[in-house]
Amino acid sequence: MKVNGEHKRTIWVEPDGWAVGVIDQTLLPHRYALARWETVEDAVRGIATMQVRGAPLIGASAAYGMCLALRADPSDENLEAAYAKLSATRPTAINLKWALDEIVAAVRNRPRDERVVAAYRRAAEICDEDVAINQAIGRHGGDLIAAAAGRKRPGEPVNVLTHCNAGWLATVDWGTALAPIYLAHDGGIRLHVWADETRPRNQGASLTAWELGQHGVPHTVIPDSAGGHLMQHGMVDLAIVGTDRVTADGDVCNKIGTYLKALAARDNGVPFYVALPSPTIDFSVRDGLSEVPIEQRAAEEVATMTGRTADGRIETVTIVPEGSAVANYGFDVTPARLVTGLITERGMIAAGREALARAFPERAGAAR
Amino acid sequence: MKVNGEHKRTIWVEPDGWAVGVIDQTLLPHRYALARWETVEDAVRGIATMQVRGAPLIGASAAYGMCLALRADPSDENLEAAYAKLSATRPTAINLKWALDEIVAAVRNRPRDERVVAAYRRAAEICDEDVAINQAIGRHGGDLIAAAAGRKRPGEPVNVLTHCNAGWLATVDWGTALAPIYLAHDGGIRLHVWADETRPRNQGASLTAWELGQHGVPHTVIPDSAGGHLMQHGMVDLAIVGTDRVTADGDVCNKIGTYLKALAARDNGVPFYVALPSPTIDFSVRDGLSEVPIEQRAAEEVATMTGRTADGRIETVTIVPEGSAVANYGFDVTPARLVTGLITERGMIAAGREALARAFPERAGAAR
């Protein structure tokens, strides 16, 4: 997507052909800066400190981290050491382990002098595959936006509500929930995005608003509490969110607060869609509420807020009284009954066991 | 309620018998400071800058502002001038105008040398009446908490979720939504409060958490997005919120986000109560969604956050990107169908036209 008018991915190989470039997302939206990784340690630090975040981008970053490690030393010992270091950065990220395994598979049975080239080739493929999946999601979801546009009066934009950041910054390009928005926008459909602020880490107010703004998509940041009111007053045509995990029965685990928006959508007849690449479906789990553990994150994320001061410094302030307890549940589960449809690279699929198994028979069968 | 172990109201007459003391709420929760008002201008400034806030407290403050004005000059001309100045501070606050009228009625037909004493007497009554109403709300709501405690296993606290601040800081003492909590807590019932942060102004994270902490009530601050997840997992026994206006049909206008919590409560079988003094009922309006206008507030409230820095300064930081639009709807409407009951000074009343008219026949009749 665009930054300062130029097309950019979130991760790339530098012109020298080996160093890895990324957008340093820790400084957004207040500063746009790039980082250059030259060693596996750079990649480990970048993933651990959230210079890069979002499951697909973490996977791509880990793959390139392996490339950097092999460039320094293509031995089996170093391959194993890099695998261990990189997989420890974000232990719960499924894509990370998958990407590391992909690189290992690509180089294991090769002579040492061919390993670096093979690793870079597979890392580039991982990135291109992510882009292709997201474009497919974008096309299928874009059709829904186009259909909504057909029901609007001339000149009125389609209003789409989203939660958190499932945009291109979380992937290599296009994003998942935002891919349909970018494709529809680029295709000339008038639309406007309500971006939930998404406390406590504010990924909506910072990342989603920033990337929509850079790409020129009209949008408005709202507190997480506002979506229900907007839906009650006909100001939301459809909602599209991303997800961290979808169960075999279609329950959706996503950023805390997604469930409340889905309830409001149901109460007001607003379609509620979840966009996802199919690897996000976990066919080994059925009931999201009882089977998906919800991560509790650091209290400081709720107790503090980071932003820029009037004189341009980045400052963190505490907003709760000393001595007050704070709870920070990272995710919630939206039951399948509240989900209008799952937008995947294979099209729109009903959020239910049979439809998911029919759409992905090779994966549903393997999990039985 | 208690501050630093001592009982305090939010407004009082100083030991000199005429100056007015208030808690300066603009500095909470980071600093606890008192303000002393000696002139009507002090009161005007205090109300306008939100040293005091909350409908009942604004009314009491305006009443004492009139006292200070009359002490300086008890003439009809000054009475009218003070009325105009005070009523312009918060034009939409219904209690403010009511309290001003009460003072005018108490002094109008009296000789000038009796007016000051009569004004102070009526202002003190207004405060005591507010306290009595809130204690009655507290008793009726406390019974609900006691009943919930009876259904818990021994040693387990009753978990109450609340939104925004409808506590004693918004009133003269006790509060509305928090009055049942204080009475139950003081009565020895084990309870724990989930305090919604309440973006964008953070009244929950700042005021509710502070006053519960000062009074010794166990509580946990949560992002506004968390309540649904907690209810899904049986971690909320009941919700109690305040309200700015209840319609004749029982629709509830309250801080933005209340509706989403009511939806989650309904979806999970959690009782959802609204606590209010009966003057909050507007019998001239029926349908909250179509008839109650929703105030749009300043974008800065969403775009910025104020807190204390590591070195103790109070700092405001901006959290959205430059150029992103921001919307700030102050309130939403929770339809009566989602409200389990209205806790008033006359007891628990169903959120519906007939029950409200039966409980307050003198007011329902007058509005017809």
Side-chain angles (χ1 to χ4, degrees):
Chain A
M1 301 290 99
K2 285 187 196 152
V3 180
N4 299 329
E6 280 178 38
H7 182 264
K8 206 83 187 157
R9 284 184 173 186
T10 53
I11 189 164
W12 58 88
V13 175
E14 295 278 11
D16 57 25
W18 63 272
V20 177
V22 298
I23 298 173
D24 182 352
Q25 301 191 23
T26 58
L27 303 172
L28 292 177
H30 307 299
R31 281 181 212 152
Y32 172 63
L34 307 182
R36 177 182 163 94
W37 295 346
E38 300 193 345
T39 64
V40 63
E41 284 73 24
D42 289 343
V44 164
R45 198 178 313 115
I47 297 169
T49 62
M50 297 182 76
Q51 279 185 338
V52 291
R53 20 73 58 196
L57 177 53
I58 288 173
S61 300
Y64 276 118
M66 292 290 270
C67 297
L68 293 169
L70 290 167
R71 186 171 178 275
D73 170 5
S75 69
D76 282 353
E77 295 71 25
N78 194 44
L79 188 68
E80 278 172 33
Y83 188 104
K85 273 186 266 192
L86 285 160
S87 63
T89 51
R90 299 286 299 273
T92 58
I94 292 172
N95 276 54
L96 188 148
K97 196 173 170 306
W98 170 82
L100 294 174
D101 288 334
E102 289 292 307
I103 300 294
V104 169
V107 306
R108 186 184 278 134
N109 295 318
R110 288 180 186 276
R112 296 189 175 191
D113 61 355
E114 291 179 11
R115 285 182 165 183
V116 174
V117 170
Y120 273 95
R121 190 189 311 123
R122 183 70 194 113
E125 285 168 5
I126 287 172
C127 290
D128 290 345
E129 286 162 14
D130 180 58
V131 172
I133 284 176
N134 297 340
Q135 284 179 319
I137 291 170
R139 277 193 302 277
H140 298 303
D143 292 346
L144 298 170
I145 296 176
R151 292 187 294 269
K152 303 293 287 190
R153 273 171 290 195
E156 276 191 357
V158 177
N159 287 296
V160 184
L161 183 138
T162 192
H163 190 66
C164 199
N165 177 259
W168 72 273
L169 289 170
T171 64
V172 175
D173 206 351
W174 293 99
T176 53
L178 297 195
I181 288 165
Y182 287 123
L183 263 101
H185 173 81
D186 289 356
I189 291 173
R190 275 194 71 171
L191 52 78
H192 165 262
V193 178
W194 298 107
D196 277 356
E197 165 179 59
T198 319
R199 283 282 289 152
R201 285 180 67 90
N202 297 8
Q203 293 96 330
S206 53
L207 304 177
T208 298
W210 183 83
E211 62 167 88
L212 291 173
Q214 286 292 331
H215 199 74
V217 180
H219 65 282
T220 303
V221 176
I222 50 173
D224 298 316
S225 283
H229 170 74
L230 298 177
M231 292 184 194
Q232 283 178 314
H233 289 272
M235 295 159 81
V236 180
D237 295 300
L238 67 160
I240 311 179
V241 300
T243 173
D244 293 80
R245 180 142 52 146
V246 171
T247 72
D249 285 4
D251 292 344
V252 171
C253 180
N254 190 41
K255 185 66 53 191
I256 191 86
T258 302
Y259 166 56
L260 294 173
K261 299 309 143 57
L263 283 170
R266 171 57 50 97
D267 201 43
N268 294 285
V270 173
F272 190 88
Y273 298 106
V274 180
L276 62 144
S278 62
T280 309
I281 307 166
D282 183 348
F283 282 99
S284 72
V285 168
R286 290 191 61 168
D287 180 49
L289 270 179
S290 64
E291 294 181 58
V292 176
I294 300 296
E295 176 190 358
Q296 288 206 52
R297 299 178 52 84
E300 290 74 47
E301 291 185 355
V302 178
T304 65
M305 192 78 114
T306 300
R308 67 172 189 282
T309 61
D311 55 357
R313 286 173 296 114
I314 306 295
E315 178 94 74
T316 297
V317 296
T318 296
I319 57 170
V320 300
E322 280 178 44
S324 284
V326 167
N328 185 10
Y329 298 90
F331 305 91
D332 63 22
V333 171
T334 300
R337 65 185 153 86
L338 300 176
V339 178
T340 308
L342 304 170
I343 309 171
T344 75
E345 69 269 26
R346 293 192 189 168
M348 244 274 280
I349 294 166
R353 190 169 185 77
E354 283 175 29
L356 279 168
R358 216 164 32 240
F360 301 96
E362 73 285 11
R363 295 199 48 225
R368 267 189 211 118
Chain B
M1 300 293 97
K2 286 187 194 152
V3 180
N4 299 329
E6 279 178 38
H7 182 263
K8 207 82 188 159
R9 284 184 174 187
T10 53
I11 190 166
W12 58 89
V13 176
E14 295 278 13
D16 58 23
W18 63 273
V20 177
V22 297
I23 297 173
D24 182 352
Q25 301 192 24
T26 58
L27 303 173
L28 292 176
H30 306 300
R31 282 181 212 151
Y32 171 63
L34 308 181
R36 177 183 165 94
W37 295 346
E38 299 193 345
T39 64
V40 64
E41 283 75 23
D42 290 343
V44 164
R45 199 177 313 116
I47 297 169
T49 62
M50 299 182 73
Q51 278 185 339
V52 291
R53 21 72 59 196
L57 177 54
I58 288 172
S61 300
Y64 275 118
M66 292 291 270
C67 298
L68 292 169
L70 290 166
R71 186 170 178 276
D73 170 3
S75 70
D76 283 352
E77 294 71 26
N78 194 44
L79 190 67
E80 281 173 30
Y83 188 106
K85 272 186 269 192
L86 284 160
S87 63
T89 51
R90 299 285 300 273
T92 58
I94 293 171
N95 276 55
L96 187 149
K97 196 173 170 305
W98 169 83
L100 294 174
D101 288 334
E102 289 293 305
I103 299 294
V104 170
V107 305
R108 186 183 280 135
N109 295 318
R110 289 181 184 276
R112 295 189 177 192
D113 60 358
E114 292 179 11
R115 285 182 166 183
V116 175
V117 170
Y120 274 96
R121 191 188 312 122
R122 184 68 195 115
E125 285 169 3
I126 287 172
C127 290
D128 291 344
E129 286 162 14
D130 179 58
V131 172
I133 285 176
N134 296 341
Q135 284 178 318
I137 291 170
R139 277 194 301 276
H140 298 303
D143 291 346
L144 298 170
I145 296 175
R151 290 187 294 270
K152 303 292 288 189
R153 273 171 291 193
E156 276 191 357
V158 177
N159 286 297
V160 185
L161 183 138
T162 191
H163 191 66
C164 199
N165 178 257
W168 74 272
L169 288 170
T171 64
V172 175
D173 206 351
W174 294 99
T176 52
L178 297 196
I181 287 166
Y182 287 123
L183 264 102
H185 174 80
D186 289 356
I189 291 173
R190 276 193 70 170
L191 52 78
H192 166 262
V193 178
W194 298 107
D196 277 356
E197 165 179 61
T198 318
R199 284 281 290 151
R201 285 182 66 91
N202 297 9
Q203 293 96 330
S206 51
L207 304 177
T208 298
W210 183 84
E211 63 167 88
L212 290 173
Q214 286 292 330
H215 199 74
V217 180
H219 65 282
T220 302
V221 177
I222 49 172
D224 299 315
S225 283
H229 170 74
L230 297 177
M231 293 183 194
Q232 284 178 314
H233 289 271
M235 295 159 79
V236 180
D237 295 301
L238 67 160
I240 311 179
V241 301
T243 172
D244 292 80
R245 182 147 42 150
V246 171
T247 72
D249 285 4
D251 292 344
V252 171
C253 181
N254 190 42
K255 185 65 55 190
I256 191 86
T258 302
Y259 166 55
L260 294 175
K261 299 309 143 56
L263 283 171
R266 172 56 52 97
D267 199 43
N268 293 286
V270 173
F272 190 88
Y273 298 107
V274 180
L276 62 144
S278 62
T280 310
I281 306 165
D282 183 350
F283 282 99
S284 72
V285 168
R286 291 190 61 170
D287 179 50
L289 269 180
S290 63
E291 294 182 57
V292 176
I294 300 296
E295 175 190 358
Q296 287 206 52
R297 299 179 52 84
E300 289 74 49
E301 291 184 354
V302 178
T304 65
M305 193 79 116
T306 300
R308 69 173 188 281
T309 61
D311 56 356
R313 286 172 297 115
I314 306 294
E315 178 94 72
T316 297
V317 296
T318 297
I319 56 170
V320 300
E322 281 178 45
S324 285
V326 167
N328 186 9
Y329 298 90
F331 305 92
D332 63 23
V333 171
T334 299
R337 65 184 152 86
L338 300 176
V339 177
T340 308
L342 303 170
I343 309 171
T344 75
E345 69 271 26
R346 293 192 189 166
M348 244 275 278
I349 295 164
R353 189 166 186 79
E354 283 175 30
L356 280 167
R358 215 165 32 240
F360 301 97
E362 74 285 11
R363 296 198 49 224
R368 264 184 213 124

